[in-house]
Amino acid sequence: MKIIFYTHPSFLGHKSMPRFTNMLAKGMAIRGHEVEVWSPSGVFARLSKSSSLIKYLGYIDQLLIFPFQAKLILKRKDEALHVLTDHALGPWMSFIKKRKHVVHCHDFIAQKAAVNKIEDLKIGSLGRYYQNLIKKGYSKAHNFISVSETTRKDLHLFKPETLKNSQVVYNGLNQNFKPSESITSLRRQLEQKLNISLSNGFLFHIGNNEWYKNRTGVINLYDYWRNSNKHSKPLIMVGPKPTKDLIALKEASGFSKDILFLDNIADDLVRDLYSAATLLIFPSYTEGFGWPIAEAMASGCPVITTAEAPMTEVGGKAAFYIPKRPYKQNEQNEWLKVGAKEIEKVVSLSLEERKKVISSGIHNSKRFDSKQALDSIENIYKSCYSKNYENPSCSRSNGS
């Protein structure tokens, strides 16, 4: 079977989506399929070094240049399965809608924001127009794979007509996450590398600057916890360069010297931080899946996250949960109090209790096995590829 994967252009600087595409492409190639990966080359995006201009010039590449180039190539007889690795690539359905296809769905956060379904998050008219363009695109598709039941539920809200082939395949971990054989030794190595005291452990967060990752809430929680308890464990936050507001929040903290931002770090350092951390604090407002929860558990790191799907889907019974951070300022103090109490609970676990929590997390993380995920995805691909495309829905199953 020939499979053409369509993915986001490299000039956008995404990290998680290229990893996802690479996992799919390598996995299918290993299984004996002929694989190609297509994405815009950035004819216009290359004309500027400004990140904001690259974004807007990139729209020309993504919405005009690339579809034109793809149509020219696909004029010849086509026997491939066309896979959009993200439903946000929906506009490209215009040239594959009558071909054998599958669309992967990750999260509908931007789609929901565009129709005012997310409290306190408004986007401009251009953003709403672009999200509507995306919706018009994926609405022409017939076959979908969602990364969680939460994402599938959102898909069905935006595409309410009967979906004969809408299935869930949980993400498979795409790196070798595992517990450290010697946390003491690993923390010592990290201390030397990062020049910060980690011998007593540390709190860890990983995520980008998007509002739903709640990075400000992480620092607020850390401050409240430190002010309420005698522990002196630092906080390490991994992600892109922090915003000016985040930097100001850190500097205003009474524990500023114990808060460390790390950006653009290597994957092996991320894995070490997971393995060495006392806990992962992950109080997101929402997610499509929630990779860090599974990654941390596979690394032997306890997790505190939000008691909302899909975080509860991924964390299962192995995670510790706190409420979603309230949007109203006058309700946030109670949230901080509850969150700090949960942090203290995990930090104060006895050695035996911690071993049980870690064991439970490792067991839970095995649900997100990459081989198992790829096997399930391959079966769906084969089903879609083998069907007569006069009836473009490749399955009548709605199961996961």
Side-chain angles (χ1 to χ4, degrees):
M1 176 171 61
K2 180 178 179 180
I3 307 172
I4 299 176
F5 290 104
Y6 297 82
T7 190
H8 293 278
S10 59
F11 58 74
L12 291 178
H14 292 170
K15 289 191 175 182
S16 60
M17 287 313 304
R19 283 199 188 103
F20 179 75
T21 301
N22 187 55
M23 181 185 74
L24 291 176
K26 281 190 173 182
M28 294 306 129
I30 288 171
R31 285 161 172 75
H33 303 291
E34 181 185 349
V35 170
E36 294 181 11
V37 178
W38 291 14
S39 67
S41 59
V43 176
F44 281 84
R46 289 201 196 104
L47 298 178
S48 175
K49 293 184 178 180
S50 166
S51 58
S52 57
L53 278 177
I54 288 173
K55 175 182 176 181
Y56 290 106
L57 289 171
Y59 286 140
I60 302 176
D61 290 310
Q62 295 177 79
L63 301 178
L64 296 177
I65 304 298
F66 179 69
F68 175 75
Q69 293 171 331
K71 286 176 186 176
L72 287 179
I73 297 172
L74 294 175
K75 274 186 176 180
R76 60 179 181 267
K77 188 177 180 181
D78 173 34
E79 297 295 339
L81 176 69
H82 298 261
V83 178
L84 294 188
T85 58
D86 185 0
H87 67 278
L89 303 173
W92 298 347
M93 279 303 303
S94 62
F95 57 85
I96 64 171
K97 61 186 178 183
K98 294 183 179 180
R99 304 174 189 273
K100 299 175 181 182
H101 65 261
V102 176
V103 178
H104 286 270
C105 301
H106 297 271
D107 73 69
F108 284 81
I109 296 171
Q111 289 279 287
K112 290 160 78 174
V115 292
N116 299 317
K117 288 187 177 293
I118 295 181
E119 189 177 354
D120 276 8
L121 179 63
K122 308 298 178 184
I123 64 174
S125 56
L126 183 59
R128 290 196 299 273
Y129 172 79
Y130 185 54
Q131 291 303 318
N132 188 51
L133 201 63
I134 289 172
K135 180 179 180 295
K136 284 183 177 179
Y138 69 69
S139 292
K140 297 172 184 174
H142 300 279
N143 311 305
F144 298 88
I145 302 175
S146 297
V147 298
S148 67
E149 290 290 352
T150 302
T151 294
R152 177 163 69 170
K153 180 180 177 182
D154 286 341
L155 167 65
H156 288 225
L157 286 174
F158 282 96
K159 187 175 165 53
E161 53 269 47
T162 302
L163 290 170
K164 294 182 179 179
N165 187 35
S166 173
Q167 302 187 55
V168 171
V169 177
Y170 286 131
N171 282 330
L173 294 171
N174 51 29
Q175 294 185 53
N176 185 25
F177 297 98
K178 60 183 180 181
S180 171
E181 295 180 1
S182 174
I183 289 182
T184 301
S185 175
L186 180 57
R187 285 175 178 171
R188 192 178 300 120
Q189 294 173 27
L190 290 171
E191 276 186 336
Q192 295 173 354
K193 186 177 293 186
L194 303 176
N195 194 29
I196 186 171
S197 177
L198 301 175
S199 58
N200 292 321
F202 60 95
L203 276 60
F204 184 48
H205 177 265
I206 183 167
N208 59 40
N209 289 322
E210 294 295 336
W211 69 273
Y212 64 90
K213 294 294 184 182
N214 194 18
R215 295 186 94 187
T216 58
V218 173
I219 296 177
N220 292 151
L221 264 179
Y222 178 71
D223 276 355
Y224 194 97
W225 172 68
R226 285 290 300 268
N227 280 316
S228 305
N229 299 279
K230 297 179 180 180
H231 296 287
S232 58
K233 300 179 190 297
L235 168 66
I236 297 179
M237 300 184 70
V238 168
K241 288 184 178 180
T243 63
K244 291 181 179 179
D245 287 343
L246 274 174
I247 292 173
L249 188 61
K250 171 190 181 299
E251 295 303 323
S253 168
F255 311 100
S256 178
K257 293 181 179 179
D258 289 337
I259 300 174
L260 179 64
F261 290 117
L262 297 176
D263 61 88
N264 296 318
I265 64 173
D267 289 343
D268 59 348
L269 179 53
V270 172
R271 291 194 295 270
D272 284 346
L273 288 167
Y274 272 129
S275 298
T278 302
L279 63 89
L280 173 78
I281 177 72
F282 194 72
S284 292
Y285 283 109
T286 185
E287 293 282 339
F289 177 73
W291 284 98
I293 299 170
E295 293 170 350
M297 289 185 175
S299 304
C301 176
V303 175
I304 295 176
T305 187
T306 311
E308 301 273 339
M311 285 73 79
T312 50
E313 273 189 73
V314 180
K317 296 180 179 179
F320 295 85
Y321 295 104
I322 60 176
K324 182 168 71 173
R325 184 187 186 188
Y327 292 106
K328 295 180 180 179
Q329 194 70 32
N330 61 355
E331 297 176 356
Q332 291 188 11
N333 195 65
E334 182 61 25
W335 177 78
L336 291 170
K337 183 179 179 180
V338 171
K341 184 178 180 180
E342 202 68 14
I343 291 173
E344 183 63 17
K345 175 182 175 181
V346 177
V347 167
S348 301
L349 290 171
S350 68
L351 183 60
E352 194 61 35
E353 289 171 333
R354 185 174 175 84
K355 284 181 179 179
K356 289 181 181 179
V357 168
I358 289 173
S359 177
S360 178
I362 291 173
H363 178 74
N364 181 63
S365 71
K366 294 185 185 302
R367 293 191 295 136
F368 312 111
D369 176 74
S370 59
K371 182 182 181 303
Q372 180 179 320
L374 287 167
D375 286 346
S376 297
I377 290 169
E378 182 190 29
N379 287 335
I380 297 170
Y381 285 177
K382 284 180 176 178
S383 178
C384 292
Y385 185 78
S386 64
K387 297 300 180 181
N388 185 324
Y389 232 55
E390 289 179 2
N391 176 13
S393 177
C394 62
S395 170
R396 292 184 178 276
S397 171
N398 253 357
S400 58

